[in-house]
């Protein structure tokens, strides 16, 4: 019948001559017997073998080898299937015609002794629902086949899987399996997808219609958590959200308690946010409840999905707004003196500045969403009027009792070198000092927490008091070896024992001169922190070779804040600086330099909204004025102005013929040029309190992870679901880390039998009972196969790249009355 002609044409073996019979048998006989008796021949005929009397090649048949077969029989032999499957192979012969794309992979996934016609049909569908050679060799169950067809049909421009199913007459098989798997009784592919998604959504909305709906939801949960399919499935859900008008469906749900359990579509997150906002506005939801709900949403599908960062930032906007409001209600801004105010600020008040910063960072990164603008306005008012103004008033009252801050002498930045650096030099220890320009205390505190959370990092957080006025030149000079500081005639350059401290080169000379006098033979160097970090490892090692004291300078925060073109990006710059300093510290420790200090030269004030006119002070220029900034004036003859203090140099950290006129509280002084959002130079706590992080590398691992257990456990499962009570055994701190786990029930051989819960355990509450939570697990249809057997609740740590690593397990026995689980 010509079925094997393609095989004949493709045959190519050295030393074999191919001949095709074309009514020329006598010529072929003559050629084979007379011309080439030593030659090998492969002779092909598409006709059946003739009767002996009509067979011109009968003698060749008798002396040689005759092979006669049909294609289906050959396929049956190649697949090593029983002869009973020959009618099946003939029925679907078109499927097997392509050897490379279908026949070879089909053979690769067969388990011949156990196959029946149903399993062969499923294997054929599996081949058609595979893209690559490797994927075709992965034998899929029907749900995975359907998922591949959905993704191919509704996401790919040239979807071909479903066309192949129809071409090879497997469409009836597909619909029979769909009816059996999901009780879907139509024959429309898009209709099937919509049916599955609608049932999963109805299950989350608690529109319960039976066991099949639960199984469908568990299947969807498996699909979206499967690393192989997750990204594509997200795209499919995103597309179907619009097609199915999910917004309309969710809008009809009146209860936030119901919507909060939905995470199938991004629209659910939009609804949660809008309903939280509305509930907070009409006071039907309190702040603590809202914070708890926001923390729970961190575990949901779209929040955790990479690439959906704007959604995450929307949640963070609301989260940090609520954190600010709650903390502001708890803190007391009244204090009786400077030292008490200083301690109150470093012990907790500074978190208000952190929450304000993180709110604005999230707001900018999210694209400044219009629906949350009212929270921006509310926060600005709360930050300025509810926090900064009363803090400034109380702090200024304390300053008025101690105008030169003499009660904070022990924290003076000018004591830094002698108090902190010299002990390392005395002990012949190498030391890195990293100076981040403008890193105020709340930034340093966050960095300290980040560093302390890393293995073998020991971090102590202390404070220094920036000099007055709190600006770069004076702060940098104060971090050098002890010397008498004076202001040069220009009012800007700071001299140390008469020598300029302007620029790194000048500061390095001062450092080295001090070492030459006090620690002969020791060497010092000042480098740009980013240049050092970005150089090669060999260049880094070479640059610090034989150097005892290294100062690294990072302009990160101040450089962005001081520039009118970039000051709006300040909080983004802070995030980058924290990450940079964290990575820089780790790099230094990897160079076997185990002692690091991180500090700054001054802090800053910042407000996102333009400063109102009432907060500006216009002060005429007096005789002998040499420097003016938004927070201070250096002059010989100050012009007295309400809202400012005038200080003589006799009790300041510098000498000279100048006096200092400094704005009280948060007031600002008019000066030429822009850049008024980010200011420093005054004496607010945010400007004066400078962090000092002292880092050391420990010899042993010092990071552990919290333990998770199951309590009040019933070891027997009797229904299609179970509630499990978890407890976080320790509170999270800098050295006891949080755990993010995937929890699900599996069989002894690892088959997934329930939905998967992604759970974050990061509670800092010291009370054990407050660190418990109850989670509900739903069993899929495969669980019934393990009745009267042991099941295992397995917990997997979620590592980088969403890798799951086994953590622990808890055993249960399934003892379920199968017949009692009716599904009407």
């Amino acid at each position: 019948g010509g079925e094997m002609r393609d095989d004949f044409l493709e045959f190519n073996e050295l030393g074999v001559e191919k001949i095709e019979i074309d009514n020329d048998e006598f010529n072929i006989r003559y050629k084979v017997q007379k011309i080439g008796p030593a030659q090998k021949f492969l002779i092909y005929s598409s006709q059946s073998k003739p009767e002996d009397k009509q067979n011109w090649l009968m003698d060749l048949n008798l002396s040689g080898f005759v092979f006669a077969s049909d294609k289906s029989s050959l396929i049956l032999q190649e697949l090593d299937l029983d002869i009973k499957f020959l009618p099946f192979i003939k029925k679907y012969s078109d499927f097997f015609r392509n050897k490379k794309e279908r026949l070879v992979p089909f053979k690769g996934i067969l388990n011949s002794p156990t196959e029946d016609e149903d399993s062969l049909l499923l294997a054929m569908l599996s081949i058609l629902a595979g893209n690559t050679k490797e994927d075709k060799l992965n034998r899929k169950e029907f749900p995975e086949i359907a998922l591949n067809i959905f993704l191919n049909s509704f996401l790919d421009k040239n979807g071909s899987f479903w066309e192949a199913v129809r071409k090879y007459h497997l469409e009836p098989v597909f619909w029979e399996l769909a009816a059996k798997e999901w009780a879907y009784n139509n024959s429309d592919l898009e209709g099937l997808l919509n049916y599955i998604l609608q049932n999963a959504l109805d299950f989350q909305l608690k529109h319960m219609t039976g066991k099949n709906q639960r199984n469908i939801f568990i299947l969807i949960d498996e699909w979206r958590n499967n690393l192989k399919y997750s990204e594509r499935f997200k795209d499919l859900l995103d597309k179907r959200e619009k097609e199915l008008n999910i917004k309309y469906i969710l809008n009809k749900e009146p209860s936030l308690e119901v919507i909060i359990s939905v995470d199938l579509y991004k629209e659910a997150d939009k609804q949660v946010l809008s309903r939280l906002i509305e509930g907070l506005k009409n006071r039907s939801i309190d702040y603590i409840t809202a914070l708890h709900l926001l923390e729970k949403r961190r575990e949901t599908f779209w929040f955790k999905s990479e690439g959906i960062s704007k959604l995450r930032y929307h949640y963070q906007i609301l989260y940090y707004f609520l954190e600010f409001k709650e903390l502001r209600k708890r803190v007391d801004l009244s204090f009786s003196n400077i030292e008490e105010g200083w301690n109150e600020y470093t012990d907790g008040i500074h978190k208000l500045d952190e929450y304000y910063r993180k709110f604005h960072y999230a707001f900018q990164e999210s694209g400044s969403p219009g629906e949350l603008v009212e929270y921006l306005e509310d926060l600005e008012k709360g930050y300025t009027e509810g926090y900064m103004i009363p803090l400034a008033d109380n702090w200024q009252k304390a300053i008025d009792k101690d105008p030169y801050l003499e009660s904070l002498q022990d924290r003076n930045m000018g004591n830094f070198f002698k108090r902190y650096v010299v002990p390392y030099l005395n002990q012949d220890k190498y030391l890195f000092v990293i100076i981040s320009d403008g890193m105020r205390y709340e930034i340093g505190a966050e960095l300290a927490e980040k560093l302390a959370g890393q293995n073998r990092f020991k971090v102590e957080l202390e404070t220094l008091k920036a000099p007055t006025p709190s600006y770069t030149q004076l702060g940098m000079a104060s971090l050098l070896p002890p010397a008498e500081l004076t202001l040069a005639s220009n009012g800007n350059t700071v001299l140390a024992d008469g020598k300029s401290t302007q620029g790194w080169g000048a500061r390095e000379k001062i450092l080295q001169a001090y070492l030459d006098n006090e620690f002969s033979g020791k060497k010092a160097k000042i480098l740009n922190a980013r240049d050092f970090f970005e150089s090669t490892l060999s260049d880094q090692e070479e640059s610090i070779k034989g150097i005892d004291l290294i100062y690294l300078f990072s302009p990160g925060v101040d450089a962005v804040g001081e520039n009118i073109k970039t000051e709006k990006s300040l909080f983004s710059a802070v995030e980058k600086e924290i990450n940079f300093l964290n990575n820089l510290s780790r790099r230094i420790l990897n160079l076997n330099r185990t002692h690091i200090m991180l500090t700054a030269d001054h802090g800053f004030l910042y407000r996102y909204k333009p400063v109102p006119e009432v907060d500006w002070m216009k002060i005429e220029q007096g005789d002998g004025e040499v420097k003016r900034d938004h927070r201070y004036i250096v002059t010989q003859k100050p012009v007295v102005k309400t809202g400012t203090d005038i200080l003589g140099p006799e009790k300041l950290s510098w000498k000279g013929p100048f006096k200092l006129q400094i704005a009280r509280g948060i007031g600002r002084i008019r000066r030429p040029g822009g850049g008024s959002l980010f200011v420093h130079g005054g004496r607010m706590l945010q400007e004066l309190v400078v962090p000092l992080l002292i880092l050391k590398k420990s010899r042993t691992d010092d990071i552990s992870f919290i333990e998770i257990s199951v309590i009040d456990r019933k070891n027997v499962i009797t229904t299609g679901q179970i509630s499990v009570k978890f407890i976080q055994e320790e509170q999270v701190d800098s050295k006891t880390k949080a755990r993010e786990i995937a929890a699900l029930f599996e069989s002894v051989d690892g088959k997934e039998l329930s939905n998967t819960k992604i759970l974050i355990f990061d509670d800092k509450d010291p009370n054990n009972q407050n660190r418990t939570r109850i989670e509900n697990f739903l069993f899929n249809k495969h669980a019934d196969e393990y009745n009267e057997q042991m099941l295992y609740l397995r917990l997997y740590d979620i590592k980088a790249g969403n890798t799951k690593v086994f953590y622990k397990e808890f055993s249960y026995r399934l003892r379920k009355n199968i017949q009692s689980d009716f599904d009407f």
Side-chain angles (χ1 to χ4, degrees), residues 286-345:
D286 60 78
Y287 284 178
I288 297 298
T289 301
L291 279 168
H292 175 69
L293 293 177
L294 288 169
E295 288 175 350
K296 284 286 292 179
R297 291 304 288 184
R298 295 177 305 163
E299 300 170 344
T300 54
F301 177 68
W302 287 105
F303 185 94
K304 294 182 62 59
S305 298
E306 293 182 14
I308 316 296
S309 57
K310 284 194 175 182
L311 170 65
R312 187 172 302 182
Y313 288 130
H314 275 70
Y315 277 116
Q316 288 178 357
I317 291 168
L318 197 52
Y319 180 81
Y320 286 118
F321 173 83
L322 296 174
E323 285 280 36
F324 179 90
K325 289 288 188 178
E326 272 302 296
L327 180 58
R328 180 60 192 93
K329 283 195 299 186
R330 296 197 307 269
V331 299
D332 184 1
L333 298 180
S334 62
F335 33 81
S336 58
N337 56 59
I338 281 180
E339 193 159 10
E340 184 181 329
W342 185 281
N343 292 334
E344 290 287 339
Y345 182 76

Side-chain angles (χ1 to χ4, degrees), residues 481-522:
E484 182 178 85
L485 302 182
T486 57
L487 293 186
S489 58
N490 62 11
N492 188 52
T493 303
V494 180
L495 306 178
D497 291 336
K499 297 175 182 177
S500 173
T501 63
Q502 188 84 23
W504 302 340
R507 294 171 197 153
E508 184 175 287
K509 288 180 181 178
I510 292 172
L511 272 180
Q512 188 58 57
Y514 179 85
L515 294 188
D516 290 341
N517 288 332
E518 302 292 333
F519 298 93
S520 180
K522 293 191 180 297

Side-chain angles (χ1 to χ4, degrees), residues 107 174 216 219 269 305 347 370 434 444 643 660 667 677 682 719 771:
K107 181 180 179 180
F174 182 91
I216 287 176
L219 177 66
D269 292 286
S305 298
D347 286 346
I434 303 170
L660 179 68
L677 305 179
T719 65
R771 299 196 304 270

Side-chain angles (χ1 to χ4, degrees), residues 137-177:
L137 288 172
N138 169 38
R139 186 161 182 168
K140 309 169 191 67
E141 295 297 321
F142 179 67
E144 187 178 0
I145 291 169
L147 173 60
N148 275 279
I149 291 173
F150 290 149
L151 296 175
N152 177 259
S153 299
F154 300 110
L155 290 183
D156 298 339
K157 291 182 179 179
N158 300 313
S160 58
F161 289 179
W162 186 242
E163 291 178 12
V165 169
R166 302 178 72 172
K167 178 179 178 180
Y168 298 114
H169 314 296
L170 295 172
E171 192 178 6
V173 178
F174 182 91
W175 293 123
E176 183 180 337
L177 290 167

Side-chain angles (χ1 to χ4, degrees), residues 717-728:
I717 301 168
T718 58
T719 65
Q721 59 184 354
I722 186 173
S723 293
V724 177
K725 189 174 185 180
F726 293 95
I727 184 169
Q728 177 185 316

